[in-house]
Amino acid sequence: MIILGSTGSIGVNALAIAERFSLNVEALVAGNSIDRLNQQIAKHRPNWVVIANEADIPRVNHPNVLSGEEAILRVIEEADSEFVVNALVGFLGLRPTLKALERGKKVALANKESLVAAGAFIDTSRIHPIDSEHFGLWYLLNESRPVKKMTITASGGAFRDWPLEKLAAATLEDALKHPNWSMGQKITIDSASMMNKLFELLEARWLFGELDYDAIIETRSLIHAFVDFADGSTTAHIAGANMQLPIAYALMGKVEEQILEPVDLLKVGGLEFREITQERYPVWQIKEALLREPQRGAVVNAANEAAIAQFIAGKIGFLDISRRVVDAFEHFDRVPGSVEEVFAIDEEVRAYVGAMS
Ligand SMILES: NC(=O)C1=CN([C@@H]2O[C@H](COP(=O)(O)OP(=O)(O)OC[C@H]3O[C@@H](n4cnc5c(N)ncnc54)[C@H](OP(=O)(O)O)[C@@H]3O)[C@@H](O)[C@H]2O)C=CC1
Ligand SMILES: CC(=O)[C@@H](O)[C@H](O)COP(=O)(O)O
Ligand SMILES: [Mn+2]
């Protein structure tokens, strides 16, 4: 397989599964974590390696190292593997997803931004999602009973217990204190603003079709999804907060060995559920409109990435991320009719948000 984003949180877990089940790794793609990449090369012996910056090539212990976005596409084009694990972060992941599908490969997709921005133009029949909630839904839907509603859970993120009046002064360091999951910087910020859950509702829409979707907070991240069936039953997917289980299924389809310790509900003691409110999570106000026109995820994704970059650079406050997303969503009401239009809208929205700083 080809692993894009091998040095990140999902990439490292994907390689742990590859090692445990002796899965072949043909190519590794990483950004700046060259020491970690060198350790991965030594263990998995890939034929190809791609990194973000040409200047780092001499530091990589491999005879066949390329750099840059075009090189990622070239490796997908030329490598033999039928499986691409896309664990890149952000809109950068979209072209590789499209290229892999164009080449007839299957995509184990952690890069949710691909579906958020361009789900209407992606053939999801060859997508194997790597996201705990969608894995949970898929696991529950493995039966032929009519479904009424699907609910995914949110942890509530770093600020779920903060006094509302303090949110405006929240720092990057504060936003990165996720209560349950250890993940990359961008998705951890998205969890704090609840943008991650809006993204996941869109992801569910593209993966499972036009149905009734919602989200609630479950503070321990042990229940990942619920399905309400037409007969009045509700089932829940319970598993530890560890991505190796969803990754194992995405890579192998069938898993017969134990990947995680089962959750001991007596030790857990109790679970707590909360509503997701617009007061604490202002992006939640666009949920209904976004689910009515999910193609507008292209606008939301671009505005969010541009605003997060400003927040990380210390130019805007935490709540300004949500303000910019809502502002851009109201300003750009165009629905992209093609993937080319998604790229054009992405550029326009980034320029719009950039001009706000
Ligand atoms: N982490 C999780 O548990 C989950 C993550 N996801 C999604 O999976 C994706 C990855 O998340 P996560 O693993 O947390 O993110 P990380 O930030 O931990 O990892 C991102 C990876 O992308 C690489 N990368 C970044 N920029 C470039 C570039 N220009 N060229 C090549 N490689 C690059 C990074 O390299 P380097 O580090 O070397 O710079 C790193 O390997 C995101 O879309 C996220 O939303 C979905 C569900 C759960
Ligand atoms: C592990 C995973 O799937 C993440 O997407 C997780 O859901 C993020 O946590 P939040 O529930 O806080 O968004
Ligand atoms: Mn998730």
Side-chain angles (χ1 to χ4, degrees):
M1 72 183 98
I2 299 168
I3 304 198
L4 314 179
S6 67
T7 45
S9 155
I10 292 290
V12 165
N13 278 306
L15 282 172
I17 293 295
E19 186 181 2
R20 175 164 167 187
F21 292 95
S22 306
L23 307 176
N24 177 263
V25 177
E26 189 183 10
L28 290 175
V29 173
N32 302 313
S33 308
I34 305 299
D35 292 341
R36 180 175 281 178
L37 175 65
N38 279 330
Q39 290 167 10
Q40 296 178 343
I41 291 169
K43 189 174 274 176
H44 295 276
R45 308 253 162 229
N47 296 339
W48 306 74
V49 175
V50 181
I51 57 171
N53 302 306
E54 195 179 356
D56 287 327
I57 290 180
R59 293 177 52 211
V60 181
N61 300 332
H62 195 277
N64 194 12
V65 188
L66 305 170
S67 66
E69 284 181 47
E70 283 304 316
I72 299 176
L73 302 182
R74 187 181 144 200
V75 167
I76 295 170
E77 175 83 33
E78 294 185 21
D80 296 326
S81 298
E82 61 157 356
F83 232 104
V84 176
V85 179
N86 188 347
L88 292 169
V89 59
F91 193 71
L92 167 76
L94 175 57
R95 279 189 207 281
T97 297
L98 296 171
K99 169 61 80 179
L101 294 175
E102 178 196 309
R103 294 290 295 139
K105 296 180 191 295
K106 295 177 196 156
V107 182
L109 187 65
N111 180 260
K112 59 185 83 184
E113 293 88 349
S114 289
L115 283 174
V116 169
F121 313 105
I122 288 176
D123 171 9
T124 53
S125 69
R126 274 182 292 128
I127 298 284
H128 300 235
I130 297 181
D131 207 334
S132 58
E133 298 76 6
H134 306 79
F135 168 66
L137 288 174
W138 169 81
Y139 206 96
L140 295 170
L141 288 171
N142 218 354
E143 297 175 52
S144 57
R145 298 197 181 99
V147 168
K148 190 156 174 264
K149 183 176 178 179
M150 300 202 232
T151 304
I152 56 174
T153 60
S155 69
F159 304 128
R160 66 187 186 192
D161 297 317
W162 275 42
L164 291 178
E165 62 277 12
K166 280 191 155 186
L167 290 180
T171 65
L172 173 61
E173 200 190 343
D174 297 326
L176 293 179
K177 290 183 184 141
H178 196 283
N180 304 326
W181 293 95
S182 166
M183 309 184 289
Q185 176 172 260
K186 195 253 179 187
I187 186 176
T188 307
I189 298 170
D190 286 339
S191 292
S193 68
M194 207 48 82
M195 184 57 66
N196 186 46
K197 227 39 63 176
L198 271 189
F199 281 4
E200 292 182 348
L201 289 174
L202 290 181
E203 227 183 322
R205 158 67 186 83
W206 294 121
L207 289 169
F208 301 109
E210 209 172 326
L211 292 161
D212 191 4
Y213 298 103
D214 209 345
I216 60 169
I217 292 172
E218 186 276 282
T219 55
R220 303 287 294 267
S221 300
L222 292 176
I223 301 183
H224 306 288
F226 299 95
V227 176
D228 292 347
F229 292 92
D231 63 10
S233 307
T234 298
T235 57
H237 181 255
I238 302 177
N242 184 318
M243 286 304 291
Q244 288 195 13
L245 185 61
I247 290 170
Y249 270 93
L251 298 186
M252 299 184 296
K254 197 162 124 185
V255 176
E256 287 170 348
E257 288 179 31
Q258 180 173 328
I259 306 292
L260 304 180
E261 282 299 317
V263 174
D264 182 338
L265 289 172
L266 281 180
K267 279 196 190 138
V268 173
L271 291 168
E272 184 190 349
F273 301 100
R274 301 183 195 170
E275 190 186 349
I276 300 173
T277 63
Q278 292 181 23
E279 289 69 37
R280 187 169 298 278
Y281 306 105
V283 294
W284 213 240
Q285 67 194 274
I286 65 172
K287 180 188 78 170
E288 299 300 336
L290 192 54
L291 280 173
R292 267 195 306 277
E293 289 184 311
Q295 296 90 335
R296 292 174 71 198
V299 171
V300 175
N301 183 64
N304 185 52
E305 285 189 21
I308 284 182
Q310 292 171 344
F311 174 63
I312 290 171
K315 291 183 181 158
I316 63 172
F318 176 71
L319 286 177
D320 296 323
I321 302 173
S322 303
R323 279 195 198 104
R324 278 157 167 70
V325 169
V326 173
D327 179 316
F329 186 72
E330 284 165 359
H331 186 82
F332 294 88
D333 59 2
R334 220 159 77 230
V335 170
S338 65
V339 79
E340 291 73 28
E341 234 185 297
V342 167
F343 285 100
I345 286 177
D346 180 81
E347 246 181 69
E348 263 181 69
V349 174
R350 282 172 201 268
Y352 177 77
V353 173
M356 284 167 131
S357 62

